[in-house]
Amino acid sequence: MSTTLSKGKKPLTQRWLGLLPALASVQPLFLLRRHGPLLCGVCLDATLRPDAYVPRAFFHNLAQPFPVLSITAAAPALDARGAAMEVKVEDEAKAAAAAQSLLAAHPWLQQQRLGLAEVVDHVADYVAGRFGGVVPFQTAPVELVLQACAWLERPELAQAVREAALAEMAQWPPRAFNIIKSPQAWAERMAPLCSPGAGPALRATVEAQMAQHKLAAVPELPLQADPPPVLDRRLC
């Protein structure tokens, strides 16, 4: 009988730590690292099959309070046909192949640095559908970029991201605003991130979220502002 993900998650997580040694785990099925306000890493995401999972590279924004770890802008490991790799819990060879697929597509998973430009490029690729299906009319990915800009004390970049997102949202249908109400309401909520001095409030939120999610053991590495990102693609 095949091992189910629920029963095999702890040894599976340990196996993946061997495949991705630059990451750490403080809870099963998540392999993580922290760069400033951003968690990044790999989630071994459950599927409809109880004995399988899909490995996904992802970000989580600690500057935005949330009850669980989200997998924002998630990018699955892709096979040679460009399809998401579904891996059985006991299949070590396919797990190794999936890890190599993720490392090739997302080299920041094994680097000691993460640049804002890499975050922007990842979010733009996600929004463009490069990683597969995209949930439409999301604001979480662009908010992640905005708060990273504010963390780095780059209000001019945050303002440029906000203005581009606002222009994009102007083209969304009315049904897209059930949560954020309107583009203008969203822009007003993001406005403090575009002003100098937003960093201290974000740091307090990040510290509270680190405590809430019990992430003290996750290593923190720098988030770097340079080279500056090229803001010429959609982020929402």
Side-chain angles (χ1 to χ4, degrees), residues 52-159:
Y53 62 95
V54 174
R56 302 182 191 274
F58 74 98
F59 286 91
H60 171 81
N61 182 9
L62 289 166
Q64 182 69 41
F66 204 68
V68 297
L69 295 185
S70 64
I71 50 173
T72 301
L78 301 176
D79 63 19
R81 299 175 293 113
M85 296 180 71
E86 186 174 280
V87 185
K88 294 192 71 172
V89 171
E90 297 173 341
D91 193 337
E92 296 187 21
K94 193 168 184 179
Q100 288 304 308
S101 171
L102 288 172
L103 290 173
H106 314 288
W108 44 264
L109 287 170
Q110 59 185 342
Q111 296 170 355
Q112 295 299 300
R113 61 171 299 281
L114 179 68
L116 180 61
E118 292 171 291
V119 178
V120 168
D121 286 345
H122 180 92
V123 169
D125 285 343
Y126 168 78
V127 171
R130 181 182 169 192
F131 307 137
V134 180
V135 178
F137 314 129
Q138 289 186 88
T139 60
V142 71
E143 288 174 12
L144 179 151
V145 173
L146 268 166
Q147 287 170 312
C149 292
W151 177 275
L152 292 168
E153 301 290 355
R154 298 296 297 269
E156 78 286 358
L157 289 177
Q159 179 64 17

Side-chain angles (χ1 to χ4, degrees), residues 167-190:
E168 185 63 35
M169 290 176 190
Q171 304 176 52
W172 289 2
R175 70 178 186 278
F177 302 110
N178 292 337
I179 295 176
I180 65 170
K181 306 303 182 185
S182 71
Q184 293 74 24
W186 178 86
E188 289 176 8
R189 186 163 58 89
M190 295 296 110

Side-chain angles (χ1 to χ4, degrees), residues 38-49:
L38 306 180
L39 287 181
C40 64
V42 171
C43 171
L44 307 178
D45 199 17
T47 72
L48 294 177
R49 293 176 54 184

